[in-house]
């Protein structure tokens, strides 16, 4: 007899912000929670080598997913592989049997369970940081049907390694109230950048879990762009010889740079040097080739980058992605059982009666000249203050489709990645 399955919805959201409003009050403060009596482990046993191993595995998954996402077509692409990997690591903690095996293979998880969750904890504790110039936060939450019997060991795993309690809602009788509560949490964690993530009708009385992960990033450039130098110029999308007028930022600086017959690449640090943006500009006609070989090109770049004096022109851009429905892509990569009636997430409840119904990811990005006036003055002095004659700088004019990555400098974890084929200014969330 076919078993009766409830749905496990995994909703993932990554946001990349250089500017943005601050969040308001916590609209979900009165939601009941299934609380573990354990405390988060603030000193996980994971050294820098372990973090780099986790990042390497997560990045391998990122390139696999990128290959699938670009098959959807469209223009700009942007997502947070860290957000997706972490949300599914929390889901993986409740998986058993073939469900677990397929998730492990697709997500490139190479460590045993204890080491894996311990390493994600260490990575999160390293990444979560806030000062006047830089903010990175990761928030996790699992929204469960209130009368579900949750495994204590699963609750403990979430709390010890991810700092997450399970919030209790009533999908059976108050589906819409649950949707509104989850959307309020999403809006809170993303500083109001992503609203109404879950549209009406997405949840049903059969929904039993919704797992959410929110990543928020706000940082200022180490070497800011001078707004007075921003100018209009043509950007040339694929198969568009006429081009389109857009705002280009301009600066000349000493920075990490690499080039080959196929591409140019430049690395721009953020203040505090905790993370950086790596911009990869394929030579004309080489975009598809670069995308197809990204899993080989990206790791090699770290060895190729060397400090050069670079004249950089980079378009401003801002956009919110449409929600990515990732189920079909995960199935194509080999993760089929978790979406079927043969799924086994009994580690969550003690019973194999859950399946994943959908994985949703949505992201926002804004790139501009943002910096404080004092920091800009100091940075310009440091960059342009060398005395004596200089060779002409290398020119990198980013006026055609390009790829970019936001990466953690310590672990090399890709936090965000994307492709800009048409710079747009769309701040709607």
């Amino acid at each position: 007899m076919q078993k009766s399955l409830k749905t496990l919805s995994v909703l993932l959201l990554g946001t990349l912000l250089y500017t943005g409003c601050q969040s308001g009050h916590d609209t979900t403060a009165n939601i009941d929670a299934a609380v573990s009596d354990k405390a988060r482990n603030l000193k996980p046993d994971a050294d820098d080598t372990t973090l780099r191993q986790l990042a390497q595995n997560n990045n391998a998954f990122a390139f696999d997913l990128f290959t699938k996402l670009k098959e959807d077509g469209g223009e700009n692409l942007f997502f947070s592989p860290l957000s997706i990997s972490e949300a599914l690591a929390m889901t993986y903690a409740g998986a058993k049997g073939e469900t677990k095996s397929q998730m492990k293979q697709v997500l490139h998880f190479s460590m045993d369970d204890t080491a894996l969750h311990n390493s994600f904890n260490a990575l999160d504790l390293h990444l979560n940081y806030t000062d006047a110039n830089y903010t990175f936060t990761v928030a996790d939450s699992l929204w469960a049907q209130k009368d579900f019997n949750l495994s204590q060991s699963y609750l403990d795993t979430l709390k010890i390694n991810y700092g997450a309690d399970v919030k209790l809602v009533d999908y059976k009788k108050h589906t819409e109230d649950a949707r509104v509560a989850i959307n309020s949490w999403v809006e809170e964690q993303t500083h109001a950048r992503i609203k109404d993530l879950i549209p009406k009708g997405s949840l049903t009385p059969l929904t039993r879990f919704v797992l959410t992960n929110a990543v928020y990033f706000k940082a200022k450039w180490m070497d800011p762009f001078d707004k007075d130098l921003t100018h209009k110029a043509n950007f040339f999308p694929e198969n568009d010889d006429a081009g389109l007028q857009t705002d280009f930022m301009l600066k000349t600086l000493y920075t990490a740079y690499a080039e080959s017959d196929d591409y140019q690449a430049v690395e721009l640090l953020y203040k505090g040097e905790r993370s950086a943006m790596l911009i990869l500009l394929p030579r004309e006609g080489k975009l598809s080739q670069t995308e197809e070989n990204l899993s080989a090109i990206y790791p090699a770049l770290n060895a190729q980058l060397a400090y050069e004096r670079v004249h950089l022109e980079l378009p401003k851009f801002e956009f919110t992605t449409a929600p990515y429905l990732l189920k079909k892509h995960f199935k194509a990569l080999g993760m089929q059982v978790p979406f079927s009636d043969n799924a086994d997430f009994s580690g969550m409840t003690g019973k194999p009666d859950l399946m994943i119904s959908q994985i949703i990811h949505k992201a926002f990005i804004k790139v501009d000249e943002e910096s404080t006036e004092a920091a800009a003055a100091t940075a310009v002095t440091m960059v342009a203050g060398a005395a004596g004659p200089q060779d002409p700088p290398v020119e990198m004019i980013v006026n055609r489709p390009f790829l970019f990555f936001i990466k953690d400098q310590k672990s090399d974890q890709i936090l965000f990645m994307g492709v800009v084929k048409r710079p747009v200014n769309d701040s709607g969330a």
Side-chain angles (χ1 to χ4, degrees):
M1 179 180 295
Q2 187 181 53
K3 60 185 178 182
S4 175
L5 287 117
K6 312 302 188 293
T7 59
L8 165 64
S9 296
V10 182
L11 305 174
L12 315 170
L13 34 146
T15 64
L16 171 60
L17 309 176
Y18 299 143
T19 61
C21 59
Q22 297 300 310
S23 58
H25 64 281
D26 186 355
T27 54
T28 65
N30 296 322
I31 297 291
D32 290 336
V35 182
S36 167
D37 61 1
K38 305 294 184 182
R40 184 166 191 173
N41 180 10
L42 298 179
K43 295 183 178 180
D45 183 18
D47 58 17
D48 291 355
T49 300
T50 303
L51 289 188
R52 285 192 290 271
Q53 179 185 347
L54 177 65
Q56 183 178 7
N57 294 343
N58 289 344
N59 292 350
F61 160 71
F63 298 128
D64 287 347
L65 183 58
F66 173 82
T67 299
K68 295 301 177 185
L69 287 172
K70 72 182 184 66
E71 290 175 358
D72 289 343
E75 293 184 333
N76 299 331
L77 169 64
F78 179 64
F79 68 104
S80 171
L82 171 68
S83 175
I84 298 170
S85 289
E86 178 154 327
L88 286 169
M90 294 175 66
T91 312
Y92 175 81
K96 302 289 186 182
E98 185 62 19
T99 299
K100 181 175 182 177
S101 296
Q102 289 190 1
M103 294 184 73
K104 182 173 186 174
Q105 179 179 359
V106 169
L107 293 164
H108 291 265
F109 290 161
S110 65
M111 305 176 188
D112 63 54
D113 291 2
T114 300
L116 177 72
H117 300 302
N118 193 61
S119 298
F120 266 106
N121 187 24
L123 182 61
D124 279 359
L125 292 173
H126 160 64
L127 292 174
N128 275 289
Y129 182 85
T130 298
D131 64 19
N133 299 309
Y134 186 95
T135 296
F136 192 98
T137 60
V138 182
D140 296 298
S141 192
L142 182 63
W143 303 74
Q145 174 62 32
K146 67 177 185 177
D147 54 5
F148 241 46
N149 293 319
L150 298 167
S151 163
Q152 190 61 51
S153 62
Y154 182 67
L155 290 175
D156 290 346
T157 296
L158 295 190
K159 188 60 178 288
I160 291 170
N161 298 290
Y162 302 92
D165 289 324
V166 178
K167 300 181 185 296
L168 302 178
V169 292
D170 190 352
Y171 298 110
K172 294 178 181 178
K173 296 181 179 179
H174 301 287
T175 311
E176 179 62 11
D177 291 343
R179 185 186 73 89
V180 171
I182 298 169
N183 279 345
S184 295
W185 183 89
V186 168
E187 184 175 342
E188 180 78 17
Q189 299 302 322
T190 61
H191 295 223
R193 284 298 190 178
I194 295 181
K195 301 178 181 180
D196 298 321
L197 174 71
I198 309 174
K200 288 185 176 181
S202 297
L203 305 182
T204 75
L206 289 178
T207 301
R208 290 298 175 264
F209 287 83
V210 173
L211 191 141
T212 52
N213 170 275
V215 182
Y216 179 83
F217 179 65
K218 179 180 180 180
K220 296 179 181 179
W221 299 112
M222 174 72 78
D223 296 297
F225 293 88
D226 185 341
K227 291 184 179 181
D228 291 338
L229 298 180
T230 298
H231 61 285
K232 293 286 187 182
N234 274 337
F235 185 94
F236 297 93
E238 290 181 294
N239 305 316
D240 185 350
D241 294 334
L244 58 93
Q245 285 274 298
T246 193
D247 289 327
F248 276 79
M249 307 179 293
L250 179 155
K251 64 180 173 183
T252 300
L253 75 164
Y254 284 97
T255 192
Y257 173 83
E259 66 176 49
S260 74
D261 292 339
D262 297 323
Y263 57 79
Q264 290 178 284
V266 68
E267 183 178 271
L268 304 178
L269 288 168
Y270 296 106
K271 287 189 175 180
E273 301 184 46
R274 296 180 66 88
S275 63
M277 176 183 282
L278 177 64
I279 300 166
L280 180 61
L281 177 65
R283 303 289 187 182
E284 289 189 30
K286 296 291 184 72
L287 176 62
S288 294
Q289 175 183 318
T290 302
E291 290 177 333
E292 291 170 3
N293 294 286
L294 200 55
S295 61
I297 292 172
Y298 178 87
L301 276 175
N302 285 330
Q304 297 171 5
L305 290 167
Y307 267 75
E308 295 274 1
R309 187 163 173 257
V310 179
H311 173 83
L312 175 67
E313 296 188 30
L314 179 69
K316 297 171 62 172
F317 59 95
E318 176 181 356
F319 60 88
T320 303
T321 70
Y324 295 115
L325 304 181
L326 301 178
K327 176 180 177 178
K328 65 178 181 179
H329 297 310
F330 276 92
K331 292 181 74 173
L333 289 171
M335 207 174 97
Q336 299 183 10
V337 171
F339 299 98
S340 74
D341 58 7
N342 292 317
D344 184 352
F345 289 100
S346 56
M348 293 181 177
T349 65
K351 298 179 181 179
D353 58 353
L354 290 169
M355 61 181 287
I356 299 177
S357 61
Q358 186 55 271
I359 301 173
I360 304 173
H361 185 75
K362 187 177 182 181
F364 167 84
I365 182 168
K366 178 179 180 180
V367 174
D368 61 21
E369 310 94 339
E370 181 76 8
S371 67
T372 64
E373 184 176 353
T378 301
V380 170
T381 299
M382 292 174 64
V383 170
Q390 296 178 322
D391 293 331
V394 175
E395 278 200 348
M396 184 168 169
I397 313 300
V398 188
N399 62 356
R400 56 185 179 273
F402 62 96
L403 299 92
F404 67 100
F405 310 82
I406 310 296
K407 61 174 186 170
D408 173 56
Q409 292 292 81
K410 180 179 182 179
S411 65
D412 197 40
Q413 170 69 54
I414 297 173
L415 308 175
F416 307 89
M417 61 185 291
V419 180
V420 176
K421 295 186 177 181
R422 181 179 293 269
V424 292
N425 185 2
D426 172 22
S427 59

